[in-house]
Amino acid sequence: VFLIEINSERYNSSKLPDKYEAICRFYNVKLRYVSMKSSGTMMSKFHIYNLTEYRRINFLDNDVIPLSNLDYLMELSDAEVIEPTVVISTRMEPANGGFFIIEPSSDDYQAILKYMQHQRSNHKTAREFNKEKGWGHIIKPPDQWETSSGKNGTLWNFMAAHDDQGFLYHYPKYVKKRLTSITGKKVITHREINGTIGIAREIFVNSPKDSPFFKYSKPFFGKYKNTHIKSHCGGHCSRVPPYQDFEHFTGRGKPYKSPASMDFLKHKHKEQVISGYHLWWNTLRMILVEVESMTLQDFGTSFCCCENVSSSNLAFGLSLKKLSCL
């Protein structure tokens, strides 16, 4: 499922051009449209709570590419081996907004819409955000947030605490009181204990085999000795599942933001795929071969628009998110 935001001020349509919708149908991709006016740009991802035809959803931002079949996380959550909401900590925040698991719910969706309205009215920017109360909960020791690099605290001052990443940490932990947090080399289950949120279970992962996800993780690059996996967690757990099972491109490392990277399409390269970056471009090359009507120029324009790039020749204003659903 693709979640697509439409900016009506920049894009004079309520949907993608017909030829792009046809390509999605060709690959059996379902489309869900969201108006940017209905939420903040980063908060719009939480509209997935309204997709109640699914039991679990694995949200992947548009700059994330799977390096393994990730269904095991949804299946374990659905079987209540792990909690209904699963978040992954990276170096700068306890819950990364680019990758998480949720259980859709109409009641939760209505509650989240109120949070979205509160954000628009009270703290659109980090400067306006109350770093003590956060989204409505004062964190008191021994409770604390923690990142994969070992940073921790009780103030809501981590990266994007005022936005999607703060809400993603707040709502399942302090409202729903059920959260599995994968934090570097720890897998932590948060639940209500004696009337307050606490740690119900904590698994320490000293080696990849200690991970409760090890037997399910089957990265595509496992047979290659020189595989490059870009670290999401400070470098000390890049081979630990599920960190090794996806790559989250950042900054100039996003393949579709680098014009020089078009060389991957114009010239032949070895078939052996050894990184998420190579996988992204090789997959695109295969798509272009399969969909003959789609030109290189067409794809470059449409995908740049998914990143809300502002330039004289890009006026669409779209944002695309990937959802894996159970």
Side-chain angles (χ1 to χ4, degrees):
V1 179
F2 281 176
L3 183 68
I4 302 176
E5 295 177 286
I6 302 293
N7 187 335
S8 58
E9 296 177 356
R10 299 177 59 192
Y11 184 59
N12 190 26
S13 178
S14 60
K15 66 182 190 69
L16 291 174
D18 291 342
K19 64 178 179 178
Y20 296 134
E21 286 200 339
I23 291 169
C24 291
R25 288 194 297 271
F26 179 82
Y27 287 101
N28 197 30
V29 173
K30 297 179 181 180
L31 302 178
R32 296 290 187 271
Y33 290 97
V34 175
S35 171
M36 285 185 175
K37 290 185 176 180
S38 65
S39 61
T41 301
M42 299 303 295
M43 290 292 291
S44 63
K45 62 188 64 176
F46 297 113
H47 285 287
I48 64 175
Y49 273 90
N50 200 33
L51 302 181
T52 53
E53 64 267 38
Y54 303 108
R55 301 195 305 276
R56 293 292 187 275
I57 292 177
N58 185 181
F59 177 91
L60 293 84
D61 222 336
N62 58 348
D63 50 10
V64 173
I65 186 169
L67 305 179
S68 173
N69 187 324
L70 293 163
D71 288 354
Y72 69 86
L73 289 170
M74 289 188 293
E75 291 167 354
L76 291 172
S77 176
D78 191 46
E80 298 187 356
V81 175
I82 53 179
E83 295 301 318
T85 302
V86 182
V87 301
I88 292 182
S89 168
T90 52
R91 288 172 288 182
M92 302 298 290
E93 67 286 316
N96 187 280
F99 185 102
F100 55 91
I101 309 285
I102 62 107
E103 178 183 25
S105 161
S106 297
D107 290 341
D108 286 332
Y109 181 63
Q110 293 303 317
I112 288 168
L113 289 178
K114 294 179 181 178
Y115 277 99
M116 290 181 179
Q117 177 60 43
H118 177 79
Q119 186 207 35
R120 288 197 300 270
S121 302
N122 296 281
H123 56 86
K124 287 185 178 180
T125 67
R127 181 175 296 180
E128 300 168 330
F129 188 59
N130 187 316
K131 293 180 173 59
E132 182 180 5
K133 294 183 179 179
W135 288 83
H137 179 85
I138 298 175
I139 303 174
K140 298 179 180 179
D143 184 26
Q144 63 180 7
W145 55 260
E146 184 177 355
T147 74
S148 63
S149 60
K151 295 181 180 178
N152 58 66
T154 57
L155 293 179
W156 295 83
N157 58 358
F158 50 83
M159 181 176 286
H162 72 289
D163 211 339
D164 60 322
Q165 296 184 154
F167 180 77
L168 180 60
Y169 189 71
H170 166 83
Y171 190 75
K173 184 175 180 180
Y174 299 114
V175 178
K176 302 295 290 182
K177 296 182 171 61
R178 293 191 65 184
L179 173 68
T180 291
S181 173
I182 302 168
T183 307
K185 292 188 174 183
K186 292 189 288 186
V187 180
I188 304 171
T189 299
H190 301 277
R191 282 194 176 185
E192 187 173 18
I193 301 172
N194 298 324
T196 185
I197 193 69
I199 296 177
R201 184 175 61 169
E202 190 170 21
I203 299 173
F204 291 89
V205 182
N206 296 313
S207 70
K209 291 185 178 181
D210 294 333
S211 169
F213 312 116
F214 178 76
K215 65 180 180 180
Y216 307 102
S217 173
K218 307 292 182 184
F220 305 141
F221 307 141
K223 60 184 177 180
Y224 300 127
K225 293 182 179 179
N226 297 321
T227 300
H228 169 68
I229 301 175
K230 188 172 182 179
S231 174
H232 322 281
C233 55
H236 61 285
C237 56
S238 60
R239 297 284 179 175
V240 174
Y243 290 101
Q244 68 171 1
D245 294 333
F246 68 96
E247 183 154 343
H248 194 170
F249 302 111
T250 57
R252 294 182 179 180
K254 299 181 182 184
Y256 46 87
K257 279 196 168 185
S258 174
S261 299
M262 298 299 280
D263 290 340
F264 274 83
L265 298 178
K266 296 176 182 177
H267 306 289
K268 292 184 178 180
H269 291 264
K270 294 181 180 180
E271 292 298 321
Q272 179 171 313
V273 178
I274 57 173
S275 74
Y277 189 82
H278 289 80
L279 177 63
W280 196 96
W281 284 106
N282 279 324
T283 302
L284 175 54
R285 185 189 298 112
M286 289 188 291
I287 290 173
L288 294 178
V289 170
E290 291 176 348
V291 187
E292 296 179 353
S293 62
M294 191 176 192
T295 68
L296 200 70
Q297 183 178 2
D298 285 338
F299 190 91
T301 300
S302 67
F303 214 90
C304 282
C305 290
C306 291
E307 274 291 290
N308 300 318
V309 176
S310 177
S311 67
S312 58
N313 64 333
L314 298 178
F316 289 95
L318 303 177
S319 183
L320 175 150
K321 317 292 183 185
K322 299 181 288 292
L323 311 177
S324 179
C325 306
L326 180 65

